[in-house]
Amino acid sequence: MIPVPINDDRQFNNADGFAMVFDPAWQRCLKAGELDDQSLEQRIEIVLTHLSDHPFVQSEPTQARQVARFRVRLLDLNS
């Protein structure tokens, strides 16, 4: 198996690259209390604000939101 660099700071303009940064960004926002008492859509928007410099968010904002919703459902992040 080819090892994946853990601290790789490259950003890729695709859904997979976005998903790789979305999950930790969600967790950071959650720990900081930024997502408390917010609806799911508000939570997603807060996280996307933190990721606004990501190339996928900039070039495909609608798809980035769709990926974010999918990640939240897939990983049960909204519970």
Side-chain angles (χ1 to χ4, degrees), residues 9-33:
D9 62 352
R10 293 179 294 171
Q11 295 182 339
F12 298 97
N13 188 10
N14 59 44
D16 291 332
F18 171 71
M20 290 174 59
V21 297
F22 178 81
D23 299 347
W26 179 280
Q27 293 303 323
R28 283 191 305 273
C29 289
L30 190 62
K31 286 180 183 179

Side-chain angles (χ1 to χ4, degrees), residues 6-58:
I6 299 293
N7 295 323
D8 189 347
D9 62 352
R10 293 179 294 171
Q11 295 182 339
F12 298 97
N13 188 10
N14 59 44
D16 291 332
F18 171 71
M20 290 174 59
V21 297
F22 178 81
D23 299 347
W26 179 280
Q27 293 303 323
R28 283 191 305 273
C29 289
L30 190 62
K31 286 180 183 179
E34 295 180 54
L35 307 183
D36 294 349
D37 301 321
Q38 303 293 326
S39 70
L40 174 58
E41 291 304 315
Q42 290 169 323
R43 289 175 172 205
I44 289 171
E45 290 305 316
I46 290 167
V47 176
L48 288 178
T49 299
H50 288 279
L51 299 174
S52 63
D53 63 338
H54 192 278
F56 189 69
V57 174
Q58 292 177 353

